[in-house]
Amino acid sequence: MYGGARPLRALTTTYYLVIIYLLNAFLSMKTDRREMCAAVYVLSTVTGYVLTSALLLKCPSLIHRKKRETFLSRHISHRGGAGENLENTMAAFKHAVDLGTDMLELDCHLTKDEEVVVSHDANLGRSTGINAKICEKTYAELPPYLCKLGVTFQKECFCEGGDDKRIPLLRDIFDAFPNTPVNIDIKVDNDTLIKKVSEMVVKYDRENLTVWGNASNQIVKKCYKENPRIPVLFSLPRVLQLLGLFYTGLLPFVPLKEQFLEIPMPSIITKLKGPDSLTRGQRVLTWIADTLLMRKALFQHLTARGIQVYVWVLNDDDDFQMAFDLGATGVMTDFPTRLKDFMDRNGISKLE
């Protein structure tokens, strides 16, 4: 699991031998000198910890073997590009792939007859106008999408689709785009859904082209247990734990099983709701979240360990620029054409 650790181990061993020597000397001193020496001992220990943590934050390869990257995604199409075609439809996915997207992001549910379908909501109301759950319908009974859907991450924006309004099966995407990486959000905690998605990924030989997970730590754990060969995303609790490790300096010492970090850019909430509609408390929380999450040092450390960092869901040039400036591996967007144009103008490619 670890590589290139011998020089650091030698340095660490020497450091602690010195500490032991100083401690023995300290214990042999008279009581009136111990208070001053205790301060020196504590200071030297803390200094050693801080310096070692800072070194490993910059050079994690000293103790961690870099994760193997089977693909690198800079341009990621959210729900296939929900701002340019009806979300999660074959038309959206085809448009994004034809445009040259590096990755398709999609969401999965299980129907009553245990078909794995690509749809964001568990309830069909928003997308089809029918108040029913996907799990209560067979695949043949699923209604088509509405002609017009709101774009979740773009203020007062709607997408009007063409002829394709069918809710697709996951295997349709695998059949149509065999070489395109896919980011799968397992939307419900369902063992059968997880098992079926895993079986399908294996059947189509896509373990090196797929990442899956959910904000729920329980779902991610089940995904990893079902098939540890498919890379997993950080769940929300694990993101919070990651931040705790980062700000206490412990992150460089801790192994991580996840290979992809997907996080929102908190500041986009002011664009979605408008700064005037947020309370002072909401603005403060947004600022705090943005300050804690959007850290270049964190992104650089993770990418040095082979963990890709995706920022979502960004839909304008200013946010694209900010994400890439911070060192994000890739950006997830509802407008794949807009992101492609930005990347072309700025010379950003997936080969960087």
Side-chain angles (χ1 to χ4, degrees):
M1 182 173 187
Y2 301 102
R6 289 184 180 178
L8 181 66
R9 286 173 181 165
L11 178 64
T12 305
T13 301
T14 302
Y15 171 74
Y16 281 110
L17 286 175
V18 172
I19 292 298
I20 291 171
Y21 172 79
L22 291 175
L23 181 59
N24 287 333
F26 161 69
L27 292 174
S28 65
M29 292 177 182
K30 294 181 180 180
T31 304
D32 57 358
R33 298 179 60 188
R34 288 184 180 177
E35 289 185 4
M36 181 181 69
C37 290
V40 173
Y41 171 70
V42 171
L43 180 61
S44 64
T45 302
V46 171
T47 301
Y49 168 72
V50 171
L51 292 176
T52 304
S53 177
L55 172 65
L56 294 179
L57 188 70
K58 288 285 187 180
C59 307
S61 60
L62 289 173
I63 61 171
H64 297 289
R65 181 178 299 163
K66 187 175 181 180
K67 295 178 184 291
R68 186 169 65 94
E69 297 172 335
T70 56
F71 60 86
L72 184 65
S73 299
R74 306 287 269 170
H75 183 294
I76 306 154
S77 298
H78 181 241
R79 305 182 195 175
E84 297 180 9
N85 287 273
L86 293 182
E87 65 183 54
N88 282 322
T89 59
M90 290 300 294
F93 297 131
K94 185 177 186 305
H95 170 70
V97 171
D98 289 346
L99 197 66
T101 193
D102 297 322
M103 173 182 276
L104 298 172
E105 188 274 345
L106 52 82
D107 315 277
C108 282
H109 286 276
L110 198 66
T111 62
K112 186 178 180 180
D113 53 346
E114 297 191 344
E115 293 283 1
V116 180
V117 297
V118 178
S119 179
H120 182 270
D121 301 351
N123 190 287
L124 293 161
R126 178 187 69 89
S127 58
T128 70
I130 305 298
N131 184 21
K133 293 182 179 179
I134 289 178
C135 63
E136 296 172 347
K137 298 276 189 182
T138 66
Y139 181 64
E141 294 172 337
L142 293 179
Y145 282 123
L146 296 171
C147 296
K148 185 178 180 181
L149 294 178
V151 180
T152 307
F153 292 95
Q154 185 75 12
K155 187 178 180 181
E156 298 177 355
C157 179
F158 294 86
C159 180
E160 296 191 41
D163 296 331
D164 185 10
K165 300 178 181 65
R166 181 178 67 92
I167 297 176
L169 296 163
L170 180 61
R171 65 170 175 265
D172 294 338
I173 284 81
F174 287 177
D175 278 326
F177 315 110
N179 301 314
T180 303
V182 173
N183 181 320
I184 300 175
D185 191 345
I186 303 293
K187 298 304 290 186
V188 291
D189 186 359
N190 183 303
D191 294 348
T192 303
L193 172 61
I194 293 170
K195 183 176 180 60
K196 282 185 168 290
V197 170
S198 174
E199 289 174 347
M200 204 175 303
V201 168
V202 173
K203 177 183 176 181
Y204 283 85
D205 192 24
R206 293 186 56 94
E207 287 173 311
N208 64 337
L209 287 173
T210 305
V211 54
W212 63 343
N214 184 267
S216 163
N217 200 40
Q218 184 171 336
I219 292 178
V220 173
K221 284 182 177 179
K222 287 183 176 182
C223 288
Y224 189 76
K225 183 178 180 180
E226 179 65 35
N227 191 339
R229 295 182 302 278
I230 305 175
V232 292
L233 301 161
F234 280 86
S235 64
L236 177 57
R238 285 285 288 165
V239 171
L240 297 177
Q241 185 181 31
L242 183 73
L243 291 176
L245 293 171
F246 174 67
Y247 283 104
T248 56
L250 290 169
L251 180 59
F253 305 98
V254 178
L256 302 169
K257 71 176 184 293
E258 296 89 350
Q259 199 164 336
F260 294 83
L261 173 66
E262 280 185 9
I263 51 175
M265 182 179 285
S267 60
I268 65 172
I269 193 172
T270 59
K271 296 182 179 181
L272 295 176
K273 293 189 175 182
D276 295 336
S277 65
L278 298 175
T279 66
R280 183 178 179 182
Q282 289 173 326
R283 288 196 297 272
V284 170
L285 287 175
T286 300
W287 178 83
I288 292 173
D290 202 62
T291 301
L292 292 176
L293 275 174
M294 300 292 106
R295 305 302 299 178
K296 190 170 186 176
L298 173 62
F299 291 4
Q300 289 177 334
H301 174 78
L302 293 175
T303 54
R305 292 174 65 168
I307 297 172
Q308 297 188 44
V309 179
Y310 301 154
V311 181
W312 57 268
V313 171
L314 309 184
N315 290 325
D316 62 51
D317 286 7
D318 289 343
D319 291 333
F320 298 158
Q321 187 69 60
M322 186 179 299
F324 285 122
D325 284 347
L326 286 169
T329 311
V331 165
M332 191 179 297
T333 185
D334 289 314
F335 296 89
T337 303
R338 194 179 295 176
L339 177 57
K340 182 181 185 299
D341 291 343
F342 170 84
M343 292 174 66
D344 288 345
R345 289 195 310 273
N346 290 276
I348 299 171
S349 75
K350 64 181 179 181
L351 298 178
E352 288 187 351

